[in-house]
Amino acid sequence: MSTTSFSILIVGLGWLLCVYVYAQANGKPSSKVPEGDSYASCYDTDSGKLVGPAKRRTFVLESPDGRYRAYGETTAVTHKRKNGHGDEHMECENETGLFVAGAWNESFRQVVSVLPRHGLSGNSISLVDWSREGHQLLIGEGLWGYGSDFGGTEIRVYDADSGTLSSESLVDEAFRKHAGKECIGVYQPVGFSEDGGIIVKAGPYFDEGEEQPRPESCMAKESIWLIGPARDAIRQLPDDYMPKHYGKEEPRKPASQVTLQAIL
């Protein structure tokens, strides 16, 4: 993967039952309420200590017309590795999936898989939004290296009607064509426009420890941009632009109901 694909990473019943069962199997309750990002880690976020395997599922996001539902799930597992001296140590690796279901009587199926890469063993999926029409789902694939500041987000669009996924370089290519030259930046997904264009937040790209952006960085400051829906169309939006959100978060069941159902 090229450097242009990265930005700096800051860090119903079905999903609730899964959380409950996982917590019981690990001997402690889950303190995490499902959000839009499936981030999971083998390390404690406060102490940094290795605490073992973890799993995290996002909430279920429903398309505006209720035709499709989606969630992301990440599993973080530990592996024993040997360094150059033959000493064993534990490492963490993530596997992430995007799951989509059609009508309410259809089961979820995995449509996207994000696997660990060399130097980027951590990954997650954030559900940004469904398009107003057309059943397109905007997602952010989080990628990072454990024990490293290096990481980023790939902005992608999953078309539920056709079952296709956009390329990893969708946003990079749009900015390169707009600039007419090699162009790198820090990109984060924001949402959809009413007509199906992708809204992104773009900013300058800095190398670690540097105070000035890279020469190839096209952005002087953070700004909001619209890409599409027409081919090769890209334009800057006002800094105070606030996009509408069209997807609907599926209502959660009370925890007491989940516990009772799990026991039964």
Side-chain angles (χ1 to χ4, degrees):
M1 181 186 304
S2 66
T3 304
T4 59
S5 297
F6 295 109
S7 62
I8 300 304
L9 179 67
I10 311 296
V11 173
L13 180 59
W15 65 260
L16 280 167
L17 179 57
C18 179
V19 170
Y20 173 82
V21 172
Y22 177 77
Q24 296 303 309
N26 284 273
K28 58 183 180 180
S30 172
S31 61
K32 294 183 177 180
V33 176
E35 299 175 348
D37 195 305
S38 67
Y39 174 83
S41 173
C42 307
Y43 297 90
D44 180 77
T45 54
D46 296 322
S47 66
K49 293 181 179 180
L50 184 69
V51 294
K55 182 179 287 187
R56 181 80 178 276
R57 183 183 289 196
T58 70
F59 54 57
V60 174
L61 190 65
E62 182 181 305
S63 62
D65 61 1
R67 178 65 182 86
Y68 292 100
R69 296 174 294 145
Y71 70 85
E73 184 175 82
T74 296
T75 301
V77 296
T78 55
H79 294 283
K80 285 185 178 181
R81 296 284 189 265
K82 289 185 177 181
N83 59 24
H85 302 288
D87 298 323
E88 285 190 343
H89 64 285
M90 300 296 290
E91 290 186 354
C92 187
E93 287 186 346
N94 289 16
E95 290 190 10
T96 296
L98 174 66
F99 297 81
V100 174
W104 281 98
N105 60 346
E106 291 183 6
S107 300
F108 282 97
R109 61 187 181 88
Q110 186 168 349
V111 297
V112 175
S113 179
V114 187
L115 302 176
R117 309 178 187 184
H118 179 68
L120 296 168
S121 56
N123 51 62
S124 65
I125 277 183
S126 59
L127 303 185
V128 182
D129 201 9
W130 286 96
S131 58
R132 186 173 69 92
E133 297 177 345
H135 303 129
Q136 294 189 318
L137 179 64
L138 181 62
I139 64 173
E141 291 183 5
L143 304 167
W144 68 91
Y146 280 106
S148 167
D149 292 332
F150 191 57
T153 300
E154 291 180 346
I155 301 174
R156 310 188 74 173
V157 177
Y158 176 75
D159 189 314
D161 288 333
S162 64
T164 57
L165 183 67
S166 69
S167 72
E168 298 175 350
S169 57
L170 170 67
V171 173
D172 297 308
E173 291 175 358
F175 277 96
R176 283 199 293 268
K177 290 177 180 179
H178 175 72
K181 60 179 182 180
E182 180 65 20
C183 173
I184 63 176
V186 175
Y187 308 123
Q188 293 291 336
V190 175
F192 282 104
S193 63
E194 290 190 7
D195 57 359
I198 305 167
I199 302 169
V200 303
K201 181 181 292 185
Y205 185 97
F206 294 83
D207 283 326
E208 185 178 355
E210 295 294 327
E211 296 183 357
Q212 296 297 322
R214 286 268 293 271
E216 307 96 314
S217 183
C218 297
M219 306 293 150
K221 66 182 184 68
E222 195 171 80
S223 51
I224 306 296
W225 290 76
L226 175 62
I227 301 174
R231 185 176 180 83
D232 299 328
I234 179 172
R235 63 185 176 91
Q236 187 173 351
L237 298 173
D239 291 341
D240 59 353
Y241 179 85
M242 295 294 291
K244 295 180 180 179
H245 286 274
Y246 306 104
K248 298 175 289 185
E249 184 179 339
E250 186 174 293
R252 303 186 181 99
K253 295 285 186 180
S256 59
Q257 293 185 24
V258 177
T259 301
L260 178 61
Q261 183 67 33
I263 294 173
L264 295 176

